[in-house]
């Protein structure tokens, strides 16, 4: 008579790892993450390539990429140029600003409306210490789309149109602190300088919306507008970017109106 196998319906995945092994794996991951954090801090503003981080930490490339994704999402690492990584806002003493729940979901209809109006790509960012963090993007209908940043991109607050709109909406003391914190990195963005940023902030406040070109991306100009919460505090910003040829003054004004109307329809107003 065949004896029933009492384990035949038990899957390997259903059997938990022994506590000691699980703790060892968690500890190993934590130690790897801390080694990578040390390397990022040592890299400073110049940043390091992934291959350099592998050498500095003794970790495999796949492991470094996986940990970098986690550290970037948490604000502990950021891109420093196109191929380098450096310490994020949290390691620089900054902290994420107040962000309303589901901000990306809230702003996607606005981006879609603005993008459909002008035909170009629209973006939404929030602030993380001295950085802007792209949280949403909507691609337009024009044959040539200028996708200057992607969701997850972090860069100094104020080098792009949305970040500039958000920077200009902050109190003067915070503007000074952000510009000072980003000063070492600004020249990499089309020769941006602290003095130039302060001029752009003043112009944005006078105009009510931002315009900046040739800094975050060469031969590209963006128009941006801050998003305020019910208390009037800036919590995000949206922007549209396209080639300089597609951005004469009249079209900049049209895009600004589209941004304002889109935000008013959803939030009851913008800066």
């Amino acid at each position: 008579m065949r004896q029933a196998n009492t384990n035949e319906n038990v899957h390997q995945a259903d059997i938990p790892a022994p506590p000691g092994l699980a703790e060892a794996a968690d500890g190993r991951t934590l130690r790897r993450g801390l080694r990578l954090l040390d390397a990022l801090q040592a890299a400073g503003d110049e940043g390091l390539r992934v291959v350099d981080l592998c050498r500095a930490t003794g970790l495999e490339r796949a492991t470094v990429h996986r940990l970098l994704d986690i550290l970037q999402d948490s604000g502990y690492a950021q891109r420093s140029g196109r191929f380098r990584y450096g310490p994020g806002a949290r390691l620089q003493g900054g902290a994420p600003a107040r962000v309303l729940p589901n901000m990306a979901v809230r702003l996607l209809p606005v981006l879609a409306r603005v993008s459909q109006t002008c035909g170009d790509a629209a973006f939404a960012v929030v602030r993380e210490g001295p950085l802007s963090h792209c949280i949403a993007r909507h691609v337009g209908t024009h044959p040539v789309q200028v996708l200057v940043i992607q969701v997850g991109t972090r860069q100094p607050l104020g080098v792009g149109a949305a970040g500039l709109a958000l920077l200009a909406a902050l109190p003067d003391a915070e503007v000074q602190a952000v510009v000072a914190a980003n000063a070492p990195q600004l020249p990499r963005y089309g020769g941006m300088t602290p003095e130039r940023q302060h001029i752009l902030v003043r112009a944005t406040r006078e105009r009510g919306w931002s315009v900046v070109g040739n800094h975050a991306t060469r031969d590209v100009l963006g128009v941006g507008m801050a998003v305020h919460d019910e208390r009037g505090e800036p919590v995000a910003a949206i922007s549209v970017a396209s080639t300089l040829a597609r951005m004469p003054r009249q079209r900049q004004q049209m895009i600004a109106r589209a941004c304002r109307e889109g935000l008013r329809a959803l939030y009851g107003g913008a800066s």
Side-chain angles (χ1 to χ4, degrees):
M1 180 175 179
R2 180 178 180 270
Q3 184 177 358
N5 183 353
T6 56
N7 293 324
E8 64 184 354
N9 292 322
V10 178
H11 298 283
Q12 190 66 33
D14 297 329
I15 303 176
L21 291 179
E23 291 173 4
D26 290 342
R28 184 166 58 252
T29 299
L30 177 58
R31 284 192 295 271
R32 288 173 173 176
L34 291 174
R35 276 151 58 191
L36 187 55
L37 282 175
D38 286 341
L40 289 168
Q41 283 189 303
D45 295 328
E46 290 299 319
L48 287 174
R49 299 171 301 165
V50 170
V51 65
D52 299 321
L53 290 171
C54 291
R55 292 195 187 107
T57 60
L59 300 175
E60 297 291 333
R61 180 182 290 266
T63 301
V64 169
H65 276 295
R66 184 172 66 252
L67 291 173
L68 280 173
D69 287 343
I70 296 171
L71 293 174
Q72 286 185 95
D73 288 342
S74 304
Y76 288 97
Q78 64 172 318
R79 286 187 179 274
S80 181
R82 187 174 179 185
F83 299 112
R84 294 174 178 266
Y85 295 86
R90 287 183 180 272
L91 292 183
Q92 297 172 4
R98 176 176 180 262
V99 179
L100 295 178
N102 301 317
M103 180 58 75
V105 175
R106 293 171 181 232
L107 288 176
L108 272 174
V110 177
L111 299 186
R113 175 171 175 165
V114 172
S115 186
Q116 289 166 6
T117 299
C118 65
D120 293 300
F123 308 83
V125 307
V126 294
R127 178 189 173 199
E128 289 185 358
L131 308 177
S132 66
H133 176 196
C134 179
I135 59 170
R137 182 177 80 179
H138 191 279
V139 178
T141 56
H142 188 262
V144 178
Q145 292 292 298
V146 180
L147 306 179
V148 289
I149 55 176
Q150 44 191 320
V151 174
T153 297
R154 290 173 173 84
Q155 59 187 12
L157 194 68
V159 299
L164 175 59
L166 192 47
L167 179 65
L170 299 176
D172 287 343
E174 289 191 56
V175 172
Q176 292 284 351
V178 168
V179 174
N182 289 329
Q185 300 185 51
L186 293 180
R188 301 176 192 156
Y189 294 87
M192 180 70 80
T193 64
E195 294 74 20
R196 171 69 172 158
Q197 276 210 320
H198 286 300
I199 291 172
L200 290 171
V201 164
R202 289 195 295 270
T204 298
R205 289 173 171 176
E206 292 173 1
R207 192 188 300 110
W209 40 277
S210 67
V211 176
V212 62
N214 273 331
H215 285 293
T217 306
R218 185 176 178 83
D219 296 326
V220 169
L221 184 142
V223 171
M225 186 168 290
V227 180
H228 293 83
D229 64 10
E230 67 281 355
R231 298 183 299 184
E233 295 183 5
V235 292
I238 62 174
S239 66
V240 170
S242 191
T243 60
L244 290 173
R246 273 179 62 79
M247 285 293 199
R249 184 180 299 275
Q250 186 174 3
R251 194 160 187 277
Q252 295 173 24
Q253 295 170 343
M254 180 272 289
I255 291 171
R257 287 195 300 272
C259 290
R260 184 175 292 109
E261 291 167 1
L263 290 170
R264 184 179 295 119
L266 195 62
Y267 292 103
S271 61

